[in-house]
Amino acid sequence: MSMGVQVWLMLVVLVLGTTCEAQLSSTFYDNTCPTALSTIRTIIRKAVSKERRMAASLIRLHFHDCFVHGCDASILLDNSSDFKSEKTAGPNVNSVRGFNVIDQAKTEVEKKCPGVVSCADILAIAARDASFSVGGPSWTVKLGRRDSVSAYKDIANSDLPSFRDNLQVLISRFDTKGLSPRDMVALSGSHTLGQAQCFTFRDRIYNNNSNNIDVGFATKRQGTCPLASSPSNDEKLAPLDLVTPNSFDNNYFKNLIQKKGLLPSDQVLYNGGSTDNVVLEYSKNPTTFKSDFASAMIKMGDIEPLLGSAGIVRKICSAIN
């Protein structure tokens, strides 16, 4: 064999090795489990129809998964002898929900295609279907993630955004995950849905020295969130979007302009800082917001997925096989 042919063969091997590298793909299950997406969609629609708040919970569940060691379904794991569950981390405990819906979707998919569809992909699909079911955008979900064999409670405590974070801290947290400030504002727009517990916004509504909160709004929220802290008071809920808490729209951004953001981390997006212009844009153009939200969700779903032979496909989402 001539030297020229040997070099050519080596180049072919290198090219094939590069192009065959595992990647996420929207058609990943077309042959191995063609009914996966429709099966999951049915479960999500039923769950959201039964409880509209579940849409927000499922979107948040995917977000809290991806921000901790990538989109690998580690958030779904219960405690084991080898690791502590992320469910017990500060930002998640008694807060993150929707696990039962993901379990239902996994059970139904397993009946049709055992051991094929990962819990991480179910989370990504569920978030998309939840958004669409309450009037939000849909998008093409890239698939092929595999599931983690561990949970990462410490990373959950350190990496997940907090309701107390100021703007620069939020920008830094998202930048670390490859998300821009614009992505951050778009993703924060998911707070057009869902509710927050009293302890997360108590300081904001009772801080009389604050000039970034509408007085009438603060007074109204005080009616459902007592000043005195107690387990029962701390868990009292208020809608993140006072106007249309069960519909995916751009009222969240209009609220911010009126100084009616519920969480401190909401209002910092419009408080004289670098993201004010994005909030203004989204408040005026819901189509742009929905398009950017979909793009940001796709981008978020790309955070450090386990691909190819990495990780596993868990048979149940709460435990290692």
Side-chain angles (χ1 to χ4, degrees):
M1 184 183 295
S2 68
M3 181 63 71
V5 172
Q6 288 179 341
V7 171
W8 178 81
L9 286 173
M10 289 175 65
L11 287 172
V12 169
V13 170
L14 286 171
V15 170
L16 287 175
T18 302
T19 57
C20 291
E21 209 172 290
Q23 295 180 354
L24 296 176
S25 166
S26 62
T27 61
F28 189 82
Y29 297 115
D30 281 7
N31 295 322
T32 56
C33 193
T35 61
L37 272 68
S38 60
T39 300
I40 296 166
R41 185 187 310 120
T42 298
I43 298 297
I44 302 309
R45 285 180 175 174
K46 287 181 179 178
V48 174
S49 177
K50 184 177 179 180
E51 183 195 6
R52 296 279 286 186
R53 182 188 171 200
M54 186 54 67
S57 298
L58 292 171
I59 293 170
R60 185 169 182 245
L61 192 57
H62 181 41
F63 175 86
H64 277 228
D65 179 45
C66 290
F67 257 63
V68 179
H69 208 261
C71 306
D72 60 4
S74 59
I75 194 172
L76 303 178
L77 288 168
D78 290 335
N79 280 324
S80 80
S81 58
D82 296 320
F83 51 78
K84 294 180 180 179
S85 173
E86 292 169 28
K87 297 176 183 179
T88 63
N92 294 332
V93 66
N94 298 323
S95 174
V96 173
R97 58 198 296 273
F99 300 107
N100 59 320
V101 178
I102 300 300
D103 287 342
Q104 290 171 20
K106 176 65 170 174
T107 297
E108 291 304 310
V109 170
E110 283 292 304
K111 289 178 183 177
K112 300 181 178 182
C113 317
V116 173
V117 181
S118 69
C119 299
D121 277 346
I122 292 175
L123 280 172
I125 297 165
R128 187 271 310 274
D129 292 344
S131 166
F132 188 70
S133 67
V134 290
S138 183
W139 55 89
T140 301
V141 179
K142 293 190 284 184
L143 303 166
R145 301 168 191 81
R146 288 167 67 83
D147 298 326
S148 172
V149 294
S150 183
Y152 307 93
K153 180 180 177 180
D154 289 345
I155 298 178
N157 280 321
S158 64
D159 286 17
L160 284 170
S162 166
F163 62 88
R164 299 185 181 91
D165 287 344
N166 63 38
L167 182 59
Q168 290 309 309
V169 170
L170 287 173
I171 289 173
S172 177
R173 287 189 190 277
F174 279 74
D175 179 68
T176 299
K177 306 300 179 182
L179 298 167
S180 70
R182 189 178 184 90
D183 293 328
M184 178 191 70
V185 177
L187 291 170
S188 297
S190 64
H191 285 184
T192 185
L193 304 168
Q195 303 183 64
Q197 297 183 70
C198 173
F199 79 91
T200 63
F201 59 88
R202 177 183 283 119
D203 288 348
R204 173 163 162 73
I205 63 175
Y206 285 103
N207 184 357
N208 295 324
N209 296 321
S210 174
N211 62 358
N212 70 345
I213 187 168
D214 177 84
V215 175
F217 172 74
T219 301
K220 184 176 182 64
R221 291 277 62 87
Q222 289 170 10
T224 56
C225 179
L227 179 59
S229 177
S230 70
S232 59
N233 284 347
D234 290 353
E235 294 176 2
K236 290 182 182 296
L237 298 171
L240 287 158
D241 172 5
L242 187 62
V243 185
T244 52
N246 292 317
S247 297
F248 196 106
D249 54 34
N250 68 333
N251 278 325
Y252 167 80
F253 300 104
K254 296 177 182 179
N255 294 338
L256 298 185
I257 293 170
Q258 297 169 8
K259 300 183 179 181
K260 295 180 180 179
L262 185 63
L263 302 178
S265 57
D266 288 326
Q267 196 59 57
V268 297
L269 301 181
Y270 189 82
N271 195 37
S274 59
T275 55
D276 281 14
N277 60 329
V278 185
V279 172
L280 279 169
E281 182 181 357
Y282 289 162
S283 73
K284 296 174 182 178
N285 195 329
T287 301
T288 299
F289 161 51
K290 289 184 177 182
S291 175
D292 283 3
F293 179 81
S295 297
M297 287 294 287
I298 293 171
K299 196 172 175 181
M300 186 185 78
D302 286 343
I303 298 175
E304 299 177 19
L306 296 173
L307 302 172
S309 59
I312 61 172
V313 174
R314 300 204 295 262
K315 295 177 182 178
I316 60 173
C317 292
S318 59
I320 306 302
N321 297 344

